[in-house]
Amino acid sequence: MAHPFPDAPWWQRGTVYQVYPRSFQDSDGDGVGDLAGIERRLDHIAALGVDAIWLSPIFPSPMADFGYDVADYCGVEPMFGDLAAFDRLLAAVHARGLKLLLDFVPNHSSDRHPWFVESRSSRTSPRRDWYIWRDAAPDGRPPNNWISDFGGSAWEWDEHTSQYYLHAFLASQPDLNWRNPELKRAMFDAMRFWFDRGVDGFRIDVLWHIVKAEGFPDNPVNPAWHPGITERDRLIQQHSTDQPEAHAIAAEMRALADRYGDRVLIGEIFLPNDRHARWYGTPERPQVHLPFNFQLIENPWDAATLRSMIAAYEASLPPHGWPNWVIGSHDAPRIAARVGEAQARVAAMLLLTLRGTPTLYQGDEIGIGRVDIPPDRVRDPQELRQPGIGIGRDRSRTPMPWDDSAFAGFSTVEPWLPLNPDWRTRNVAAQDGDPSSMLTLYRRLLALRRAHPALAIGDFALAEADRDVLAYERRHGGERLLIALNLSDEERAMPFAGEVLLSTLDGAGDGLRPNEGVILSPSLRA
């Protein structure tokens, strides 16, 4: 798939599409998606006009946290296939001119990983120090007050060796000790294994967690905590995340990736702008290419908030830092569930016209909205451990509906999670030929990005606009494009004059119609 402006690296000019393998396509009739299923549906991804596919974890795993508990960093979970199936998928992805990124999980493994089995076998095990073990406090309690992201103490008592081990997530996900050089070498070997196999990069899970403060001091209490938000947030994770030593490891990861040529590293990092920007590193010692930016997910959906957020994020970037944006993921509520289908169309235009690399999440291109998971179908350990506060992730991991046949063409049996309730009418086949569908809108937006350097790699400047309207321009060379997004359900004044290249709505109006986004070719109205 040749690109019309090849000078910028592909990861700057392109778009990433996230596939959640359990929920994309089942090929063997067990109700769970797999690698052969992904291969079968590659033409859908290619037809969208994206440039790269990021797969959520496919490694062998007990699935306590659905793949984020890795039992072997250099294999494939049999539920998904095997290394031969992976190689076939990779070849098929590359044959379509696409890139393939894997999800690397460096902070923790499964407690069933052979490394941890050996580590917990004895205090004198050669791999004891590959994980984080500490004696109990004098009163027998855990070594400090740290709280797991899934609630409860971050320390688990091991009767056999009479010490606690650290786990930032489930007790079955013990944290790795990146201060141990042998562990670090083993993890870098795992990255090499996949680079040597031909993968084009990694999305690195919870990268800012991987080193903890020496001495393991208590984390400070969060004065803003209140019931109704996650238990983790009782504390400020000052000593358990974002330690200076982690940046040196990220720089080493980048140096490894760069030795393989045109590769990309995307870091999962939730931090304020000033600390977030440090994960780019320096021009002399770069770190990740793209520290994930989740602010479109985290902020209220109104023009004033988004305008100030975008300006602050852009201002925080170092000169060598390239922005990126996300509106959906396997962890976040669906954008159409959060802002409604009308504004989800506007959100698609925002995502694909801001400066930076966009990441799309499977199913958002057809506008999957709210999916209520019956109590007896809940699978997410986060929801099971802290129910009722809206942090369940199953709602975003429901199977992809392909058509109106049995089980939406996803499987021949009941899928592992429920389908979206409107799957008979909201599916890929139903939207494929519909000129007003969400799928058609995404395809047109991605085609415009590919055709116009101003949208893909151009400069960005906010513009003045009526209340409830977010307006900006993109420039590259002599090309200038204007974007106006009405975030309200009332008509607003159009801030620009020009030819409409694309609207999120059918037809045309004199002003900016309710819930309408437009891309125009100039000029500014006087």
Side-chain angles (χ1 to χ4, degrees):
M1 189 187 296
H3 215 284
F5 31 99
D7 293 341
W10 68 265
W11 52 268
Q12 283 191 0
R13 66 179 184 257
T15 304
V16 178
Y17 181 87
Q18 182 190 356
V19 167
Y20 193 70
R22 292 181 67 93
S23 297
F24 201 62
Q25 176 67 56
D26 172 20
S27 74
D28 59 4
D30 63 358
V32 178
D34 46 51
L35 298 183
I38 297 168
E39 183 181 352
R40 180 177 144 198
R41 297 294 188 180
L42 283 179
D43 287 343
H44 166 73
I45 301 174
L48 271 177
V50 300
D51 298 82
I53 300 168
W54 149 35
L55 298 183
S56 291
I58 59 167
F59 312 114
S61 168
M63 295 290 164
D65 191 22
F66 297 103
Y68 287 94
D69 48 325
V70 177
D72 176 3
Y73 285 95
C74 297
V76 171
E77 163 59 38
M79 180 188 300
F80 297 141
D82 54 22
L83 282 170
F86 175 80
D87 290 340
R88 287 192 298 272
L89 174 60
L90 181 62
V93 168
H94 286 165
R96 288 165 174 78
L98 300 170
K99 309 287 188 181
L100 187 66
L101 314 180
L102 292 186
D103 206 322
F104 190 60
V105 188
N107 179 71
H108 48 268
S109 76
S110 167
D111 62 351
R112 298 191 204 172
H113 196 295
W115 297 346
F116 187 72
V117 172
E118 185 175 336
S119 180
R120 82 188 305 179
S121 67
S122 162
R123 286 201 186 196
T124 59
S125 162
R127 290 199 170 115
R128 183 67 169 183
D129 192 46
W130 285 34
Y131 293 83
I132 298 172
W133 294 92
R134 288 296 180 273
D135 289 332
D139 60 3
R141 288 190 296 184
N144 63 26
N145 70 345
W146 294 1
I147 295 174
S148 157
D149 278 26
F150 286 170
S153 174
W155 297 93
E156 182 75 4
W157 179 251
D158 179 61
E159 288 286 351
H160 179 63
T161 57
S162 297
Q163 278 191 314
Y164 283 96
Y165 66 84
L166 182 69
H167 59 93
F169 297 89
L170 295 174
S172 56
Q173 294 170 287
D175 279 26
L176 294 159
N177 179 17
W178 277 83
R179 295 183 185 275
N180 181 292
E182 292 179 352
L183 176 279
K184 187 169 86 168
R185 192 176 306 119
M187 293 298 280
F188 274 81
D189 285 346
M191 295 181 79
R192 287 187 193 92
F193 175 86
W194 294 106
F195 277 137
D196 288 342
R197 215 161 190 98
V199 303
D200 301 289
F202 294 99
R203 177 266 192 185
I204 306 172
D205 184 60
V206 296
L207 177 59
W208 86 113
H209 270 265
I210 64 172
V211 178
K212 284 73 180 172
E214 287 192 291
F216 296 87
D218 281 353
N219 275 329
V221 172
N222 178 8
W225 185 86
H226 58 85
I229 63 175
T230 179
E231 188 180 342
R232 172 202 66 197
D233 294 323
R234 284 180 178 270
L235 304 178
I236 297 167
Q237 294 183 324
Q238 180 175 325
H239 303 297
S240 52
T241 65
D242 197 32
Q243 298 305 298
E245 298 91 336
H247 291 276
I249 295 169
E252 289 183 65
M253 290 178 173
R254 173 62 176 272
L256 173 63
D258 286 349
R259 284 197 288 275
Y260 283 87
D262 203 14
R263 303 293 190 268
V264 69
L265 298 180
I266 303 172
E268 185 192 22
I269 296 158
F270 287 87
L271 288 170
N273 281 339
D274 57 337
R275 292 160 64 194
H276 185 270
R278 294 175 199 159
W279 288 90
Y280 287 102
T282 65
E284 299 75 27
R285 191 160 165 74
Q287 296 179 35
V288 295
H289 300 79
L290 300 171
F292 253 149
N293 167 28
F294 299 100
Q295 294 184 64
L296 291 177
I297 293 174
E298 297 168 336
N299 279 280
W301 195 256
D302 65 78
T305 299
L306 293 178
R307 179 186 175 89
S308 60
M309 178 271 289
I310 292 165
Y313 171 67
E314 280 274 357
S316 76
L317 297 172
H320 61 284
W322 182 251
N324 65 93
W325 300 94
V326 183
I327 59 169
S329 81
H330 64 294
D331 288 333
R334 287 277 186 189
I335 183 66
R338 188 160 69 90
V339 303
E341 182 164 4
Q343 279 296 311
R345 297 175 71 91
V346 176
M349 182 170 282
L350 176 64
L351 176 71
L352 293 170
T353 58
L354 284 170
R355 188 177 82 102
T357 303
T359 297
L360 315 181
Y361 179 56
Q362 67 174 57
D364 284 349
E365 74 268 32
I366 58 170
I368 294 176
R370 176 171 171 168
V371 185
D372 293 321
I373 310 296
D376 63 339
R377 298 291 302 274
V378 172
R379 304 289 297 276
D380 177 19
Q382 187 161 276
E383 173 69 16
L384 291 169
R385 288 169 62 89
Q386 299 183 77
I389 60 172
I391 59 173
R393 300 169 297 176
D394 291 335
R395 60 192 172 184
S396 303
R397 301 175 177 186
T398 57
M400 190 77 172
W402 295 101
D403 55 42
D404 63 359
S405 67
F407 307 115
F410 166 77
S411 181
T412 56
V413 299
E414 182 69 33
W416 74 287
L417 279 177
L419 291 155
N420 50 295
D422 56 352
W423 64 269
R424 289 191 183 278
T425 54
R426 184 179 302 283
N427 59 64
V428 172
Q431 295 195 14
D432 186 44
D434 180 354
S436 62
S437 71
M438 185 80 81
L439 179 58
T440 298
L441 175 63
Y442 266 94
R443 288 173 176 167
R444 287 175 175 168
L445 283 164
L446 285 157
L448 273 181
R449 273 186 68 88
R450 190 168 290 277
H452 293 276
L455 288 180
I457 57 174
D459 295 333
F460 171 89
L462 288 162
E464 293 300 318
D466 200 354
R467 65 186 176 90
D468 301 320
V469 175
L470 181 62
Y472 47 94
E473 59 182 82
R474 303 293 310 279
R475 294 175 183 256
H476 182 78
E479 183 180 46
R480 179 166 166 254
L481 294 178
L482 311 166
I483 296 92
L485 308 173
N486 184 355
L487 274 72
S488 78
D489 56 7
E490 298 177 2
E491 185 162 332
R492 292 287 181 258
M494 179 72 77
F496 305 118
E499 175 193 358
V500 175
L501 300 181
L502 182 62
S503 169
T504 58
L505 303 178
D506 293 331
D510 293 332
L512 200 55
R513 291 173 289 174
N515 303 301
E516 182 178 29
V518 294
I519 303 171
L520 303 100
S521 184
S523 58
L524 268 175
R525 178 176 292 168

